[in-house]
Amino acid sequence: MALADSTRGLPNGGGGGGSGSSSSSAEPPLFPDIVELNVGGQVYVTRRCTVVSVPDSLLWRMFTQQQPQELARDSKGRFFLDRDGFLFRYILDYLRDLQLVLPDYFPERSRLQREAEYFELPELVRRLGAPQQPGPGPPPHARRGVQKEGSLGDELLSLGYTDPEQQEGASAGAPSPTLELASRSPSGGAAGPLLTPSQSLDGSRRSGYITIGYRGSYTIGRDAQADAKFRRVARITVCGKTSLAKEVFGDTLNESRDPDRPPERYTSRYYLKFNFLEQAFDKLSESGFHMVACSSTGTCAFASSTDQSEDKIWTSYTEYVFCRE
């Protein structure tokens, strides 16, 4: 059947010879010039010519070989892709000009390569798998340190962070230093000891603060006679210096909301992969931190329960501040 006049967009060119009903199946998909994508909850708005810039890729097939009604959409009509929404920005940047540009400190290289394989971008996969070529200036281990004037002093120019991916192949018994102090003697002597990101130059652990926050809710009967029913802790957030957070929580730290944060910068977007406050407190205590402050705010609302009575629903946000001197 011929496409209805209300169908969004128009075919790019008419069907030569024959009736419209016989040629409609061969016409290009009717996609708008500006497309909205929902990738794992992250919304991107771009031109259709950008997403189809690499022939035979997954996106090229979706937006040239399929009809709009055949693709998954979210509740607002945006085309939906169940992939990592934060890494997709690098995929989209590559599709714009076919150039790979990544931050200086980028620990998600292997995950981005997996995303490139999913979207069937062989050239991007090849570039991500190729060894990184150091540019002019200081060696890679020094360039990865914080080099802004006045941030932490000239001592950080000799600090460098090893790529987490390079440590994956290391043996279990071998040490895996994440920070190397290239201290030089007056005669240009040997390097100093290996330090963790939170160690200072004298070998001691660097002091700092970490703030743990969580939002929870619980219900209590209107007459306040029944016991309070705690519902859940939705998410435990972590605020502080990136290197300190990684030292304390390790693999239990979810960095997906701020994947490119350098070790000596601060963040408020990390959260933990577990929901037990006691587990977070234990990890902080084992790393030499102690609690120095706590604050909490809350709101209350009434809600009808199944027995026609009204319960109070309390929602609170609590923060605990930990310090290591």
Side-chain angles (χ1 to χ4, degrees), residues 58 162 189 201-202 234 286:
L58 175 65
T162 58
L201 294 177
D202 61 2
E286 292 168 0

Side-chain angles (χ1 to χ4, degrees), residues 4 66 72 120 151 187 255-256:
Q66 293 181 273
E120 301 178 24
S151 58
S187 60
E255 307 171 39
S256 61

Side-chain angles (χ1 to χ4, degrees), residues 14 18 33 36-37 44-45 61 74 84 108 126 148 173 190 199 202 207 214 221 232 242 273-274 314 320:
D33 182 52
E36 295 186 45
L37 305 174
Y44 294 89
V45 181
R61 291 200 307 273
D74 64 9
D84 191 314
E108 307 288 341
R126 184 189 67 80
K148 293 186 178 180
Q199 284 181 313
D202 61 2
S207 60
Y214 78 94
R232 61 192 176 92
T242 303
K273 297 178 181 178
F274 54 82
W314 290 87
Y320 302 93

Side-chain angles (χ1 to χ4, degrees), residues 299-317:
T299 59
C300 176
F302 289 98
S304 299
S305 60
T306 55
D307 58 357
Q308 304 301 319
S309 61
E310 286 188 336
D311 292 337
K312 290 181 180 179
I313 299 180
W314 290 87
T315 301
S316 63
Y317 181 76

Side-chain angles (χ1 to χ4, degrees), residues 1-319:
M1 295 179 62
L3 293 175
D5 294 338
S6 60
T7 304
R8 182 173 56 180
L10 293 175
N12 297 325
S19 63
S21 59
S22 61
S23 61
S24 61
S25 60
E27 292 173 349
L30 306 178
F31 288 96
D33 182 52
I34 304 297
V35 296
E36 295 186 45
L37 305 174
N38 180 344
V39 185
Q42 298 296 308
V43 177
Y44 294 89
V45 181
T46 185
R47 298 179 66 91
R48 176 179 172 272
C49 60
T50 299
V51 296
V52 300
S53 59
V54 177
D56 299 322
S57 64
L58 175 65
L59 291 172
W60 179 86
R61 291 200 307 273
M62 288 175 57
F63 290 93
T64 61
Q65 306 299 309
Q66 293 181 273
Q67 297 290 332
Q69 59 269 22
E70 297 175 336
L71 302 180
R73 294 178 181 252
D74 64 9
S75 59
K76 295 187 177 180
R78 296 180 287 238
F79 299 106
F80 180 76
L81 292 164
D82 190 14
R83 301 301 298 180
D84 191 314
F86 297 97
L87 293 179
F88 185 75
R89 59 176 168 170
Y90 301 108
I91 299 292
L92 193 58
D93 284 344
Y94 172 78
L95 293 175
R96 289 189 176 108
D97 51 19
L98 301 183
Q99 297 294 322
L100 176 61
V101 180
L102 298 176
D104 291 336
Y105 180 78
F106 188 70
E108 307 288 341
R109 196 178 186 92
S110 60
R111 294 181 58 191
L112 180 58
Q113 184 175 7
R114 183 177 61 186
E115 294 298 304
E117 292 172 351
Y118 174 83
F119 287 105
E120 301 178 24
L121 301 169
E123 178 61 22
L124 180 57
V125 173
R126 184 189 67 80
R127 295 184 188 183
L128 289 169
Q132 293 180 263
Q133 299 296 329
H141 72 275
R143 285 189 289 110
R144 288 180 182 176
V146 176
Q147 300 182 18
K148 293 186 178 180
E149 279 189 10
S151 58
L152 287 174
D154 295 338
E155 64 187 39
L156 288 177
L157 294 177
S158 62
L159 300 182
Y161 293 86
T162 58
D163 195 332
E165 298 171 10
Q166 297 176 356
Q167 300 179 10
E168 294 180 357
S171 60
S176 58
T178 58
L179 181 61
E180 181 177 357
L181 173 62
S183 59
R184 298 179 180 178
S185 65
S187 60
L194 298 177
L195 306 177
T196 64
S198 59
Q199 284 181 313
S200 59
L201 294 177
D202 61 2
S204 61
R205 291 187 298 186
R206 183 173 298 162
S207 60
Y209 291 84
I210 290 180
T211 301
I212 299 298
Y214 78 94
R215 179 175 286 103
S217 61
Y218 58 93
T219 60
I220 187 171
R222 189 179 182 89
D223 55 2
Q225 298 298 319
D227 293 336
K229 298 178 182 179
F230 190 81
R231 287 188 170 183
R232 61 192 176 92
V233 174
R235 179 177 291 177
I236 301 177
T237 59
V238 179
C239 307
K241 186 175 291 185
T242 303
S243 59
L244 286 177
K246 291 181 178 181
E247 177 207 348
V248 173
F249 298 106
D251 294 338
T252 63
L253 188 68
N254 192 321
E255 307 171 39
S256 61
R257 296 174 61 194
D258 201 359
D260 306 328
R261 182 66 62 178
E264 295 302 326
R265 299 293 296 275
Y266 289 83
T267 181
S268 61
R269 298 178 61 84
Y270 288 168
Y271 61 93
L272 300 179
K273 297 178 181 178
F274 54 82
N275 292 334
F276 299 100
L277 285 171
E278 293 80 4
Q279 186 176 352
F281 294 166
D282 286 344
K283 288 183 174 293
L284 286 161
S285 177
E286 292 168 0
S287 299
F289 285 81
H290 61 277
M291 188 185 301
V292 294
C294 173
S295 66
S296 181
T297 60
T299 59
C300 176
F302 289 98
S304 299
S305 60
T306 55
D307 58 357
Q308 304 301 319
S309 61
E310 286 188 336
D311 292 337
K312 290 181 180 179
I313 299 180
W314 290 87
T315 301
S316 63
Y317 181 76
T318 306
E319 288 185 337

